[in-house]
Amino acid sequence: MTLIRPDLDSLPAYVPGRAIPGALKLASNEVALPPTAPVLAAIAEAAAGGNRYPDLGVVALSERLAAELHVTPDRIAVGCGSVSLCQQLVQISCRETTDEVVYAWRSFEAYPIVTQIGNARSVTVPLDGDFRHDLAAMAAAVTPNTRLVFVCSPNNPTGTVVHRAEFEEFLQAVGPDVIVALDEAYHEYVTDPEAADGLPLLDRYPNLVVLRTFSKAYRLAGLRVGYAVTTPEIAAALRKVCAPFSVSSLAQAAAIAALDHAGELLAACKEAVGERVRVREALLAAGFTVPQTQSNFVWLHLGERTADFAAHCLAQGVVVRPFHPDGVRVTVTTPEEDDRFLAAAGSFRVSP
């Protein structure tokens, strides 16, 4: 008798962006700038109490988030990054191996992993021709066995967003008996006025969960802190299945300090927005297929040439993130680093 679940042999591995000494890493959507001085000071102060357990209830951060988002604290659940909250959503919603989790593909690579870990079944729906979520097809894929739907906007790795009107139509089509998680990890980079924003919809759709993170715009990827905003009932369930003390004291203190100094941090997002436009236009001019992005990265649709392009960039000292055989995701960063990538991309023959 085996001691380990046999299905884990087929579990897809989460593949982090490669870090190679001396090479420019544009594979993980990290922000090039470090945390600001006040955030670093808060981290240092919290580190002095490293002999004590962190606040299990994440009370201070939850209250700070609630004030920021104009909701009550009982509607907040904080987790060890939004990835952890994705797994917790599967845990609270799926009971049987026949239970289904619906998501677009290609989308965030953690979705199939957390679904299988939760003993549920993945139901994937292809992106449309514009590399966007096909919400009508996703609604049609919902069955009586569906327990959870992930909608990633901006979508990782293509950078495209779902729009407000179509998302509301989707919520109405899905109905109130299925949890819908709107994963907004890159929310702070969105400039499209038609893009869906989950927070104003929470009161009308009690099955909606909005996921956000401090990893990207707030520059705290290494400290792992994300949060969900939803009904008190769903938030309470998420807290029940959260690993105790998984949000460290350093992460909690850093997140509060980041919120207190959000102006400086979010100002850098405007620079990223300008750079993503410049980078995309340069890639389009070079003959690449690049959808309009609302995030801090661009998507190059390369199909079977994905691995060749990634290898070509690596030979030029630039690490990108290939998703073979679909395309390559590249983080938008500083003008100098973006120019290094554009030089590497410009020397690649788009047509073999």
Side-chain angles (χ1 to χ4, degrees):
M1 182 180 70
T2 179
L3 299 178
I4 308 298
R5 286 169 45 183
D7 69 296
L8 293 185
D9 290 339
S10 64
L11 184 71
Y14 186 93
V15 181
R18 297 173 66 188
I20 298 176
L24 172 61
K25 182 185 178 187
L26 302 179
S28 295
N29 298 338
E30 298 156 327
V31 177
L33 296 171
T36 57
V39 176
L40 290 172
I43 293 170
E45 183 178 352
N51 56 310
R52 304 294 184 185
Y53 285 108
D55 173 15
L56 177 63
V58 199
V59 173
L61 176 55
S62 297
E63 291 178 346
R64 182 68 180 81
L65 280 167
E68 189 78 17
L69 303 174
H70 307 291
V71 298
T72 53
D74 62 350
R75 301 186 72 169
I76 302 283
V78 181
C80 184
S82 56
V83 175
S84 176
L85 288 160
C86 289
Q87 184 165 328
Q88 291 165 237
L89 281 166
V90 177
Q91 290 175 302
I92 69 169
S93 61
C94 297
R95 307 166 185 80
E96 309 291 340
T97 56
T98 54
D99 289 344
E100 298 170 347
V101 178
V102 174
Y103 50 89
W105 197 253
R106 183 173 286 275
S107 192
F108 185 31
E109 62 183 312
Y111 298 154
I113 299 172
V114 299
T115 298
Q116 186 171 336
I117 289 173
N119 258 340
R121 189 170 78 87
S122 288
V123 176
T124 59
V125 178
L127 299 173
D128 67 17
D130 295 322
F131 309 99
R132 300 177 65 247
H133 281 58
D134 187 340
L135 290 180
M138 290 180 68
V142 172
T143 74
N145 290 328
T146 304
R147 301 289 176 259
L148 173 64
V149 180
F150 286 114
V151 176
C152 190
S153 180
N155 185 46
N156 181 5
T158 62
T160 54
V161 293
V162 300
H163 291 147
R164 184 185 310 109
E166 65 180 348
F167 186 59
E168 286 211 61
E169 289 178 7
F170 173 76
L171 288 168
Q172 292 165 10
V174 169
D177 298 327
V178 176
I179 293 178
V180 176
L182 181 62
D183 190 344
E184 295 185 316
Y186 300 90
H187 168 78
E188 292 82 5
Y189 296 95
V190 175
T191 58
D192 184 351
E194 299 302 318
D197 180 346
L199 291 182
L201 302 176
L202 287 171
D203 289 338
R204 276 184 285 162
Y205 300 97
N207 59 321
L208 177 61
V209 179
V210 176
L211 297 174
R212 293 187 182 174
T213 184
F214 286 90
S215 292
K216 308 303 179 184
Y218 290 96
R219 311 180 196 172
L220 296 177
L223 292 184
R224 313 306 306 132
V225 54
Y227 60 95
V229 193
T230 183
T231 62
E233 293 76 19
I234 295 177
L238 288 171
R239 290 191 292 270
K240 286 180 180 178
V241 299
C242 182
F245 306 114
S246 58
V247 184
S248 72
S249 299
L250 275 65
Q252 295 183 41
I256 292 172
L259 289 171
D260 290 341
H261 299 86
E264 180 181 352
L265 290 162
L266 299 184
C269 295
K270 297 179 182 179
E271 299 174 10
V273 168
E275 275 298 288
R276 78 186 180 202
V277 172
R278 182 178 77 89
V279 170
R280 177 174 182 261
E281 289 178 349
L283 291 169
L284 291 173
F288 292 94
T289 298
V290 186
Q292 188 171 31
T293 176
Q294 288 289 301
S295 191
N296 70 334
F297 54 83
V298 291
W299 171 254
L300 287 72
H301 176 62
L302 290 161
E304 292 296 336
R305 303 208 69 204
T306 293
D308 291 340
F309 180 81
H312 171 83
C313 288
L314 183 57
Q316 309 299 313
V318 179
V319 183
V320 298
R321 179 68 172 87
F323 294 86
H324 195 78
D326 297 323
V328 169
R329 188 193 69 200
V330 185
T331 305
V332 172
T333 174
T334 65
E336 296 77 16
E337 292 184 344
D338 290 335
D339 285 343
R340 283 185 60 184
F341 162 67
L342 289 173
S347 60
F348 180 79
R349 287 187 59 190
V350 178
S351 299

